């Protein structure tokens, strides 16, 4: 594992062309890179609060900043991260910031916003197409999290974190969504569902903030597995590797006091786990 002591580790993404995991520390304005072949580690301090990123077909990354969508490049892994803002969808909601995001099999980037004070249902779900035009797809979230997709690409899963609820939507080929429905609701003692990913069997791997681990949920909405971790704030995960056989997991120190941190010295680290099931290859942004 990487004992990075991230305040809010998030957004792990697998870049196959580099054999590397990228992830962010949202609160500390940091971008991290781990080469899974050499274990080489790099970190960049960036001028913007990057909250999620995914590789682009044309090189570099699509990303969400605090205020909106952006293109991100690190030519030859140099010292400077280049950021080009694409647009600000929520100029009328200054208390919001963007949070989690992921690319579907058609190359579209789905990302949600949230109330940074975590109190108002001012967050929304957006779809960014390859032409870099966005649409608001759903609304009324305090904290959006974990967009992810079924293996056949026909179902979008999206999380209302503070409601401890995961919703499922029918996802059409043209990017329209419909038939929003309750997929799974966690009980009060399980923490809060955060980032998630899907394996080749269609099961969701759901991270739990204040929940000490990851729950595996079947496509039928049944709990079929659990990973326990030595830290309470588990934020997101992604499959990686040549065979998509390894799960990389981000965690956070945010919300923990000094006594809790003493008992959780690895909080904020990047963990890896071999779950004996393979994940799906990540989507590549079409722009």
């Amino acid at each position: 594992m990487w004992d990075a002591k991230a305040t809010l580790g998030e957004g792990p993404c697998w870049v196959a062309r580099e054999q590397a995991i990228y992830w962010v520390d949202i609160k500390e304005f940091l971008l991290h890179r781990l080469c899974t072949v050499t274990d080489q580690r790099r970190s960049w301090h960036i001028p913007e609060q990057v909250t999620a990123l995914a590789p682009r077909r044309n090189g570099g990354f699509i990303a969400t900043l605090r205020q909106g969508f952006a293109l991100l490049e690190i030519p030859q892994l140099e010292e400077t991260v280049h950021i080009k803002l694409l647009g600000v969808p929520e100029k009328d909601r200054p208390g919001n910031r963007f949070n989690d995001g992921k690319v579907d099999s058609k190359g579209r980037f789905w990302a949600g916003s949230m109330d940074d004070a975590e109190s108002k249902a001012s967050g929304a779900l957006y779809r960014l197409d390859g032409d870099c035009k966005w649409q608001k797809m759903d609304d009324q979230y305090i904290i959006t999290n974990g967009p992810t997709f079924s293996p056949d690409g026909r179902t979008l899963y999206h999380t209302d974190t503070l409601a401890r609820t995961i919703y499922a939507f029918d996802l059409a080929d043209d990017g329209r969504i419909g038939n929003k429905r309750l997929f799974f609701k966690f009980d009060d003692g399980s923490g809060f569902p955060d980032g998630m990913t899907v394996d080749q069997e269609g099961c969701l791997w759901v991270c739990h903030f204040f929940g000490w681990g990851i729950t595996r949920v079947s496509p039928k909405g049944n709990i079929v597995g659990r990973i326990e971790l030595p830290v309470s704030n588990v934020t997101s995960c992604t499959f990686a590797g040549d065979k998509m056989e390894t799960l990389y997991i981000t965690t956070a120190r945010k919300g923990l006091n000094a006594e809790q941190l003493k008992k959780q010295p690895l909080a904020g680290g990047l963990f890896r786990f071999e779950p004996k099931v393979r994940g799906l290859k990540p989507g590549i942004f079409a722009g």
Side-chain angles (χ1 to χ4, degrees):
M1 62 90 65
W2 181 350
D3 185 14
K5 291 182 167 50
T7 300
L8 185 55
E10 272 285 7
C13 72
W14 170 240
V15 182
R17 61 195 176 217
E18 299 180 27
Q19 295 288 287
I21 291 285
Y22 283 80
W23 57 293
V24 297
D25 184 342
I26 295 175
K27 295 296 185 181
E28 302 301 331
F29 292 71
L30 288 170
L31 172 64
H32 298 298
R33 177 185 185 271
L34 170 69
C35 177
T36 59
V37 177
T38 65
D39 201 40
Q40 182 184 29
R41 303 168 185 189
R42 287 281 305 273
S43 297
W44 293 265
H45 191 275
I46 43 184
E48 298 281 352
Q49 199 172 33
V50 176
T51 68
L53 71 165
R56 296 173 59 208
R57 180 183 61 194
N58 296 326
F61 298 88
I62 187 68
T64 44
L65 310 181
R66 177 185 178 89
Q67 71 269 45
F69 295 105
L71 302 179
L72 186 153
E73 293 186 354
I74 319 171
Q76 305 301 315
L77 299 180
E78 63 184 32
E79 295 300 321
T80 302
V81 177
H82 301 269
I83 296 174
K84 178 183 178 182
L85 182 65
L86 295 175
V88 180
E90 297 188 338
K91 294 179 180 179
D92 60 333
R93 300 181 182 185
N96 275 13
R97 72 162 173 85
F98 272 81
N99 195 37
D100 209 353
K102 194 167 292 183
V103 176
D104 67 18
S105 61
K106 303 293 185 181
R108 300 170 294 227
F109 186 46
W110 297 77
S113 63
M114 59 174 279
D115 176 22
D116 205 18
E118 302 180 8
S119 63
K120 298 178 181 178
S122 57
L125 173 66
Y126 292 84
R127 190 192 78 216
L128 182 75
D129 295 333
D131 59 5
C132 294
K133 294 180 180 179
W134 63 80
Q135 294 186 46
K136 183 187 292 185
M137 306 301 292
D138 198 24
D139 213 342
Q140 297 294 308
Y141 295 85
I142 298 177
I143 301 176
T144 62
N145 247 312
T148 195
F149 313 94
S150 61
D152 63 7
R154 296 178 180 176
T155 304
L156 163 70
Y157 299 99
H158 193 233
T159 298
D160 187 340
T161 290
L162 293 190
R164 296 185 173 90
T165 297
I166 299 173
Y167 293 104
F169 301 78
D170 293 340
L171 176 56
D173 286 344
D174 63 3
R176 290 177 298 166
I177 57 174
N179 189 26
K180 181 179 180 179
R181 57 201 181 271
L182 175 66
F183 172 72
F184 195 88
K185 185 175 178 65
F186 290 95
D187 61 45
D188 292 351
S190 63
F192 298 93
D194 206 308
M196 58 186 176
T197 192
V198 171
D199 63 31
Q200 290 184 359
E201 297 176 4
C203 294
L204 278 68
W205 295 75
V206 185
C207 298
H208 294 264
F209 203 91
F210 292 136
W212 297 92
I214 299 175
T215 299
R216 187 180 186 226
V217 183
S218 76
K220 294 183 178 181
N222 300 313
I223 293 178
V224 293
R226 168 81 179 176
I227 301 172
E228 299 288 342
L229 288 169
V231 298
S232 63
N233 296 345
V234 185
T235 56
S236 193
C237 61
T238 190
F239 282 94
D242 290 335
K243 299 179 180 179
M244 304 302 291
E245 72 279 14
T246 303
L247 193 69
Y248 284 86
I249 305 160
T250 53
T251 65
R253 295 164 67 87
K254 177 180 178 285
L256 302 178
N257 59 35
E259 186 62 28
Q260 289 170 320
L261 287 171
K262 187 181 298 185
K263 295 177 180 178
Q264 301 178 42
L266 299 180
L270 177 72
F271 294 80
R272 59 175 289 172
F273 179 75
E274 306 292 336
K276 298 181 181 179
V277 64
R278 296 180 182 180
L280 303 173
K281 291 183 178 180
I284 306 295
F285 181 61

